[in-house]
Amino acid sequence: MGDCAGLVDDDIAAFRKAFNPYGTNSGTEHMAPFLYSLVRMVRPMRVVEFGSGYTTLFVLRALADNVRKKP
């Protein structure tokens, strides 16, 4: 997989670049944009996540964007 800029807007691509402490070899760099897109698409009322790592930032951002950017 390449850069996620084609899947999500440029703002999220910049967010992803700023919060990438694990480099590009751990797999989370692919999962985090996927989770962001999934939360944006499904628009869940609640999210339960175990752990608090790199992907948590993306889930939180997606939840905030869902509130800000109503369809």
Side-chain angles (χ1 to χ4, degrees):
M1 288 189 127
D3 191 10
C4 71
L7 300 175
V8 295
D9 61 14
D10 292 334
D11 187 39
I12 295 303
F15 179 78
R16 174 182 170 237
K17 187 174 181 179
F19 292 100
N20 191 1
Y22 300 110
T24 58
N25 295 323
S26 68
T28 58
E29 73 276 3
H30 301 298
M31 187 54 67
F34 169 74
L35 287 173
Y36 174 85
S37 299
L38 183 65
V39 171
R40 291 285 288 147
M41 182 179 71
V42 175
R43 304 179 70 81
M45 296 296 289
R46 292 184 188 98
V47 174
V48 177
E49 183 178 5
F50 294 93
S52 59
Y54 179 61
T55 57
T56 303
L57 300 172
F58 284 80
V59 172
L60 290 173
R61 177 66 184 260
L63 291 169
D65 287 350
N66 282 347
V67 171
R68 271 189 298 236
K69 302 173 185 176
K70 297 283 183 183

